[in-house]
Amino acid sequence: MGENILMIGLGAIGSEVLRQLDDNNDILIRQILVRPGSNTQPCSGIDQKLDLISSIDELDFIPDFVLECAGHHAVLEYAPHFLKAGIDFGVVSVGALSKPGLLEELESCGARGSAKLCILSGALGGVDALSAARNKDLTVVEYSSRKPPASWVGTHAENTVDLKKISKETLLFDGLAREASELYPKNANVAATVALAGLGFDKTEVKLIADPDISHNIHEISAKGSFGEMNIRMVGNPLDENPKSSALTAYSAVRALKNRVCSVVI
């Protein structure tokens, strides 16, 4: 059986998801929820006609699954509604879950509706191993994000350094995942995913670095515990439409949708 999907957001990530699924007959993105007055234009390379709506009151079907690709505000606004209604909700903007009390609220909503909050791995690898390792004596989890200075434009970093004058790698933040998520919400999704998979927001060490000598985003995770040690380094290519968005983030959303209809999943 196929799946009828509501997608929230049609930016670079949502557009790439549509392209990847354009010829998939088992996954139908029936409607796309965008902000009222949004200037979002139908994305290129898509054959199907897009049904854009600006309110959940305009929904003309009951989704099998909701995929959020719109940002932290969409998680806050829509996840409780759909979870309580018994509809699984997939989160791309994982950093939203750093807000104190929100994860517990969504757990309660999911319990009431017998629905799942599905946290996507996004731009990150090794989430499965990290999540498995936390089952017994996971002791240390450290995450670092290294990006070109331009990728930090419009963030808290502008309050501390002149990004245009950086000539060598510069440490922008060194602390815990919860504070990193609060100070850098647009760059917090991977840190939040690491925290949720491992030791939590208040025990996960995070470093954020601006490096003028690189052109890609680099994510590094190290973990230790009774399982042994793990070190992962991801060098991600950005999406053409938005250099701040990882291509792998879109592909992880596609994987999540395909896993809902495939007979064999991994």
Side-chain angles (χ1 to χ4, degrees), residues 56-143:
I56 57 176
D57 294 333
E58 299 176 57
L59 270 175
D60 61 11
F61 73 110
I62 298 176
D64 297 307
F65 186 77
V66 177
L67 175 65
E68 173 276 315
C69 299
H72 294 193
H73 69 91
V75 179
L76 297 170
E77 186 172 355
Y78 298 113
H81 170 83
F82 287 107
L83 290 171
K84 286 188 288 188
I87 298 169
D88 292 349
F89 192 95
V91 178
V92 168
S93 306
V94 184
L97 302 178
S98 66
K99 181 180 179 182
L102 179 60
L103 185 60
E104 292 76 12
E105 176 190 348
L106 297 184
E107 287 177 335
S108 176
C109 292
R112 287 174 58 185
S114 297
K116 290 183 173 63
L117 179 71
C118 304
I119 299 172
L120 278 61
S121 58
L124 192 62
V127 175
D128 55 345
L130 186 59
S131 183
R134 74 177 178 183
N135 283 292
K136 184 178 180 182
D137 300 329
L138 180 62
T139 55
V140 176
V141 178
E142 298 173 340
Y143 164 69

Side-chain angles (χ1 to χ4, degrees), residues 160-208:
T160 59
V161 298
D162 187 340
L163 295 171
K164 293 181 179 179
K165 294 182 178 180
I166 288 180
S167 59
K168 61 181 180 180
E169 68 172 60
T170 301
L171 182 63
L172 303 175
F173 176 86
D174 186 357
L176 297 176
R178 189 176 302 280
E179 185 181 3
S181 298
E182 293 171 353
L183 290 176
Y184 292 85
K186 294 181 179 180
N187 299 80
N189 290 334
V190 178
T193 303
V194 173
L196 289 168
L199 292 175
F201 284 99
D202 299 313
K203 293 183 179 180
T204 302
E205 298 286 342
V206 173
K207 291 183 180 180
L208 305 179

